[in-house]
Amino acid sequence: MDTDCIDVLVVGAGVVGLAVARRLAQAGLDVVIAEREGGIGQGVSSRNSEVVHAGLYYAPGSLKARLCVAGREQLYAFCAERGVAARACGKLVVATREQDVAALAALAERGRANGVPGLQLLSGTDARALEPALACSAALWSPSSGIVDSHGLMLALLGDAQNAGAVLALKSSVVGARRDGDAWRVQVQAEGEEAELHTRWIVNAAGLDAQAVARAVDGFPAAAVPARHLARGHYFALSGTQNPFTHLIYPQPVDGGLGVHLTLDLAGQARFGPDVQWFESDAPGAALDYAVDPARAAGFETEIRRWWPALPAGALVPAYTGIRPKIAGPGEPAADFRIVGPAEHGVPGLVQLFGIESPGLTAAMAIGEVVRGMVASP
């Protein structure tokens, strides 16, 4: 790596890190992206539902609400301009019992408060007119929800960033950083060798490793690093039977997630998930277990049959798992994104991103705008 002082080091080449790097590079800053893995988007960004969220679930005024709504519009426009596959196929959030209909109405009100367009409360009959295989008492229709090719999106973001001069360094782990005058000297391990990078700003967009990277920054207060809570989510695919659905189907939210839902890929194939399996792993950089537990299919079948009674027995096959980097643990209220710069934590030349889980994919480009506002130009 070049030891000349650059403007910004972005740590992490997931969808958020790439969106941040793109925005900063297009603003005329010299940007290097350091990614621990051998390719982009190997963590949270490649192990999710690929859903474009409308902004229903988040507290009005929160970062999640504001950046999801803004990011959705930016994402759809970007994908249309760059030829990235995306489709606003719409989503039905269903109430399968009469006593749950009031909660569905409250979710609709929250969505409207967040500026989500086109929301409609449907009767069970009207919902079945859209999806004849669906069983529910009522449903909330969200026409702006959709799906996106997350890998195509990341490649397009990287292409824009590189066209604006950003440099991607793969297999490069940030292991330390210390302040040197008005800049940082960052220790980076690249394939067993250590190098030093001189940068004015560090943006920590390391996802699952954000806490470990934060602790490696000399002078960053330990009390400002939030606890990391990990939630594994399993996904199962549909096999041996035809998918009867053309829209996303979601139950009402559960502790730690949005419930076992049906999402579609861009070819119309169905997959179900994720569930929530809490676990703890405090070892920085430790390999995480992404194995799918086939035994969890039975629980999935039970949940899915609440709104698709005709799901055939044995039709679910293991697909993949993902892990969410949460900063609120089991039983705690869901936490907002935490995007903090010098004004919040007092350390110059440093932006930290913690707890960037769903709707991080949808919000990625809007997050890039927020970080751009924090990073001072030379």
Side-chain angles (χ1 to χ4, degrees):
M1 281 189 183
D2 194 319
T3 57
D4 291 341
C5 190
I6 62 168
D7 292 321
V8 188
L9 173 66
V10 176
V11 185
V15 66
V16 171
L18 293 170
V20 168
R22 169 187 179 271
R23 181 65 185 90
L24 296 175
Q26 289 184 334
L29 299 172
D30 295 324
V31 178
V32 170
I33 312 162
E35 168 54 49
R36 187 183 72 176
E37 302 295 338
I40 64 172
Q42 298 296 297
V44 179
S45 298
S46 63
R47 294 175 172 273
N48 56 55
S49 301
E50 295 189 303
V51 167
V52 181
H53 287 285
L56 295 174
Y57 302 101
Y58 321 111
S62 66
L63 282 176
K64 283 186 175 180
R66 292 189 289 109
L67 299 183
C68 180
V69 170
R72 169 177 45 78
E73 295 178 0
Q74 293 173 29
L75 185 150
Y76 279 141
F78 177 80
C79 289
E81 181 181 342
R82 297 295 191 277
V84 176
R87 184 168 76 248
C89 58
K91 173 168 74 174
L92 289 165
V93 185
V94 300
T96 56
R97 306 177 303 173
E98 286 294 335
Q99 58 263 44
D100 295 330
V101 174
L104 202 65
L107 185 63
E109 286 305 308
R110 172 170 283 199
R112 293 187 184 105
N114 289 337
V116 178
L119 296 177
Q120 298 180 55
L121 281 170
L122 305 179
S123 67
T125 300
D126 288 340
R128 284 187 292 277
L130 287 175
E131 293 287 6
L134 185 63
C136 64
S137 298
L140 175 61
W141 169 240
S142 171
S144 62
S145 301
I147 51 179
V148 63
D149 174 4
S150 61
H151 298 277
L153 173 62
M154 287 188 284
L155 286 171
L157 291 170
L158 175 61
D160 273 9
Q162 290 178 322
N163 287 340
V167 174
L168 173 64
L170 297 174
K171 297 184 178 180
S172 300
S173 299
V174 171
V175 296
R178 59 181 176 84
R179 196 72 181 157
D180 181 10
D182 294 332
W184 293 95
R185 294 208 175 266
V186 182
Q187 286 69 52
V188 180
Q189 282 187 350
E191 302 201 44
E193 297 186 3
E194 189 165 304
E196 187 174 80
L197 183 70
H198 198 202
T199 180
R200 296 176 52 249
W201 284 83
I202 300 170
V203 177
N204 176 9
L208 290 165
D209 290 327
Q211 281 86 342
V213 171
R215 293 188 185 100
V217 177
D218 186 42
F220 189 74
V225 181
R228 183 181 77 160
H229 301 278
L230 302 181
R232 182 186 291 110
H234 294 75
Y235 290 85
F236 285 81
L238 191 63
S239 176
T241 190
Q242 186 173 359
N243 166 37
F245 298 99
T246 58
H247 307 92
L248 310 179
I249 310 294
Y250 276 59
Q252 296 194 50
V254 300
D255 179 30
L258 300 181
V260 172
H261 48 262
L262 176 145
T263 62
L264 307 170
D265 65 20
L266 287 152
Q269 299 300 306
R271 58 190 172 209
F272 301 87
D275 57 356
V276 180
Q277 183 184 32
W278 294 98
F279 70 101
E280 298 296 332
S281 176
D282 294 327
L288 297 172
D289 183 5
Y290 286 102
V292 179
D293 179 3
R296 299 184 80 85
F300 270 60
E301 288 187 4
T302 298
E303 292 301 314
I304 294 164
R305 287 198 181 99
R306 297 182 192 280
W307 46 266
W308 184 22
L311 171 69
L316 301 182
V317 296
Y320 58 95
T321 64
I323 297 174
R324 293 94 122 183
K326 294 180 174 290
I327 54 176
E332 298 177 352
D336 199 5
F337 292 154
R338 193 171 301 181
I339 305 173
V340 291
E344 292 78 23
H345 55 62
V347 180
L350 180 64
V351 178
Q352 304 271 26
L353 285 71
F354 298 116
I356 309 298
E357 51 165 335
S358 181
L361 173 66
T362 305
M365 299 183 75
I367 292 173
E369 295 289 345
V370 170
V371 175
R372 174 66 189 102
M374 293 179 169
V375 174
S377 298

